[in-house]
Amino acid sequence: DFWVQYYDGSTWQTVAIFDKGVDFENNNFYHEVVSISSNDYNFPVNAKIRFMCDASGNADDVYIDEIEFRASGSVGPVPPTADFVGSPTSGNAPLTVNFTDMSTGSPTSWSWDFGDGGSSAAQNPSHEYATPGTYTVTLTATNANGSDDEIKTNYITVTDPGSWVVITYDDFEGGWGNYSDGGGDCSRYTGGTYAHQGSAAIDIQDNSGVASSFYHTVGHDVTGYSQLEVEFWYYPKSMDNSREDFWLQYYDGSSWQTVATWAQGIDFQNNNFYHEIVPISSSQYNFPTNARIRFMCDASGNADDVYIDEVEFRGNGGTTSFAKVNPIAPERFSLSQNYPNPFNPTTRIDFSLSRDSYVSLDIYNLLGQRVATLVDGNLRAGAHSFIWDASDQASGVYFYKLQTDVVVEIKKMMLLK
């Protein structure tokens, strides 16, 4: 004979026996359904089944196939499983972190301890960390059946920003200030319409190299800083396509480095004012005694203009908190995640953009075939969520591909129907 046995949390129990000549004859297929009732056996958290032969020798065989272990009846009440993510998890003080509840099990209330004395009962709170340090964050998720804690130790790192020092500031109302005219495709505009404040701004156009630029007249000693920033406003006019762009460049003591680019249709649309803050970190670039910045247009003609205004170049001696990124442009998204995963039939893909960007978000199956496009266009800076409804797809592994012009991320997800 052979047996079906059930592990009830402490011992193996024989729940069915099949004897030759009583329950079966050799050389035939048989189908069995064996019931295990909670009236007869304990139902534990670690139930198992096993098959055991009780014959007399190696020539006596039973071949088992297509085993399904299944349950019916209501599932007992369970508490939720707490989980969360925060964004960003590091940076200079004051640092505002946006927390997102990722708990499962349908919690009905939330209790946050941010590690610095702050707390919240919101599901998805924001919290500002004012003091440098590392902080442990705890989320307690609760439903009618109980609570669960998710504790992330030293999850938030807040660094001392030091103090910002303005190296140069120019609004061009009284002239060129700290900058020099690069040439024939650069001029000081005083018409007011395209100046963010006052009546003056600097107009760069065309793509004639230095002649399409303006730059610091003299170099500045930045050896005492660990971070630099360039803050400015701009107004684009008549830029034609994504090949029409302009650059911010930094002189590191030996050569000009392009630290950021802005392209029409990707980073901006014509006839709007835009505000930018561009970090330059000592972890990426040399900080010399004669640093300079310049703006250079890379359009196609004299009718393609960008008006630059209110340019502040500043330095900070605090600990750097900028990660190394593509030197052409800062990272464009962070913290992409789909939830739930596994899912049926919908899942939500969340991500945040550090700046206005062109974004594509596509779904692929294991064969590499694209089965859905959720985004294909320009998005504003900030948090974004998109739902994929996979009702028309089969169970299996899928991938989502999130892409900007400088960053690509591919992640796996599971559809279980």
Side-chain angles (χ1 to χ4, degrees):
D1 55 3
F2 70 98
W3 313 333
V4 178
Q5 296 186 313
Y6 167 73
Y7 186 73
D8 66 1
S10 59
T11 59
W12 286 99
Q13 306 285 346
T14 300
V15 295
I17 300 174
F18 303 92
D19 292 298
K20 193 268 178 187
V22 176
D23 301 291
F24 63 83
E25 298 295 339
N26 289 317
N27 304 318
N28 291 283
F29 282 107
Y30 292 87
H31 175 236
E32 297 290 343
V33 178
V34 177
S35 296
I36 305 169
S37 172
S38 59
N39 295 326
D40 301 318
Y41 300 98
N42 181 49
F43 277 21
V45 297
N46 59 339
K48 294 184 283 186
I49 61 169
R50 74 179 178 191
F51 292 83
M52 183 176 291
C53 191
D54 183 40
S56 60
N58 289 337
D60 305 317
D61 301 278
V62 178
Y63 298 87
I64 310 293
D65 197 6
E66 296 181 82
I67 304 167
E68 180 172 290
F69 183 43
R70 58 184 178 238
S72 67
S74 60
V75 177
V78 295
T81 300
D83 192 17
F84 65 89
V85 294
S87 175
T89 57
S90 64
N92 283 339
L95 178 68
T96 298
V97 181
N98 298 310
F99 291 97
T100 302
D101 169 49
M102 305 294 291
S103 303
T104 57
S106 302
T108 54
S109 64
W110 301 264
S111 177
W112 296 84
D113 182 340
F114 299 119
D116 65 346
S119 62
S120 176
Q123 180 179 4
N124 300 302
S126 294
H127 182 69
E128 181 180 284
Y129 290 89
T131 305
T134 56
Y135 298 96
T136 295
V137 180
T138 302
L139 168 63
T140 301
T142 303
N143 64 18
N145 305 307
S147 299
D148 183 53
D149 295 331
E150 173 67 10
I151 303 172
K152 296 190 177 182
T153 303
N154 297 331
Y155 186 59
I156 304 297
T157 300
V158 184
T159 52
D160 186 351
S163 57
W164 286 102
V165 176
V166 176
I167 302 170
T168 65
Y169 173 79
D170 295 274
D171 60 12
F172 311 109
E173 294 302 303
W176 285 86
N178 292 285
Y179 293 88
S180 292
D181 182 349
D185 285 316
C186 176
S187 62
R188 178 170 168 264
Y189 164 80
T190 58
T193 302
Y194 310 129
H196 184 254
Q197 55 76 52
S199 60
I202 303 301
D203 176 15
I204 51 177
Q205 58 184 211
D206 209 344
N207 62 347
S208 51
V210 175
S212 294
S213 76
F214 67 101
Y215 50 85
H216 272 142
T217 305
V218 299
H220 299 274
D221 187 348
V222 297
T223 55
Y225 303 112
S226 60
Q227 305 172 60
L228 302 172
E229 283 185 347
V230 181
E231 181 174 5
F232 66 99
W233 287 82
Y234 72 95
Y235 187 100
K237 182 176 179 292
S238 300
M239 301 286 274
D240 299 327
N241 52 59
S242 61
R243 293 186 297 276
E244 308 272 278
D245 55 0
F246 71 100
W247 312 333
L248 173 64
Q249 297 184 314
Y250 166 73
Y251 185 72
D252 65 2
S254 60
S255 62
W256 286 100
Q257 307 286 339
T258 300
V259 295
T261 67
W262 294 271
Q264 196 277 333
I266 298 175
D267 303 292
F268 62 82
Q269 300 295 335
N270 288 316
N271 306 318
N272 292 283
F273 283 107
Y274 292 89
H275 177 236
E276 297 288 344
I277 298 176
V278 179
I280 303 171
S281 173
S282 59
S283 65
Q284 295 176 261
Y285 301 100
N286 182 50
F287 278 22
T289 59
N290 60 340
R292 292 186 286 174
I293 61 169
R294 74 178 175 191
F295 293 86
M296 182 177 290
C297 191
D298 182 41
S300 60
N302 289 336
D304 306 316
D305 299 275
V306 179
Y307 298 85
I308 311 290
D309 199 4
E310 296 181 83
V311 183
E312 180 170 295
F313 181 47
R314 55 185 177 245
N316 190 311
T319 303
T320 181
S321 63
F322 294 112
K324 288 188 176 182
V325 295
N326 187 312
I328 300 300
E331 185 179 11
R332 296 289 177 84
F333 61 77
S334 61
L335 281 179
S336 78
Q337 184 168 354
N338 76 290
Y339 176 81
N341 189 23
F343 63 96
N344 177 29
T346 63
T347 187
R348 186 184 75 232
I349 300 173
D350 298 328
F351 60 93
S352 61
L353 296 171
S354 60
R355 57 185 299 178
D356 297 352
S357 302
Y358 174 83
V359 175
S360 63
L361 177 55
D362 298 298
I363 311 296
Y364 294 86
N365 61 22
L366 275 175
L367 298 177
Q369 300 166 326
R370 184 170 60 191
V371 297
T373 295
L374 305 186
V375 185
D376 185 16
N378 297 315
L379 295 179
R380 290 292 189 184
H384 297 273
S385 294
F386 292 91
I387 301 293
W388 181 41
D389 187 340
S391 300
D392 59 345
Q393 301 294 326
S395 295
V397 175
Y398 292 84
F399 300 87
Y400 71 82
K401 180 180 180 183
L402 179 61
Q403 182 173 5
T404 72
D405 56 320
V406 294
V407 186
V408 178
E409 186 170 79
I410 299 174
K411 288 191 175 181
K412 182 171 69 173
M413 50 190 178
M414 176 71 72
L415 171 61
L416 293 179
K417 291 187 173 180

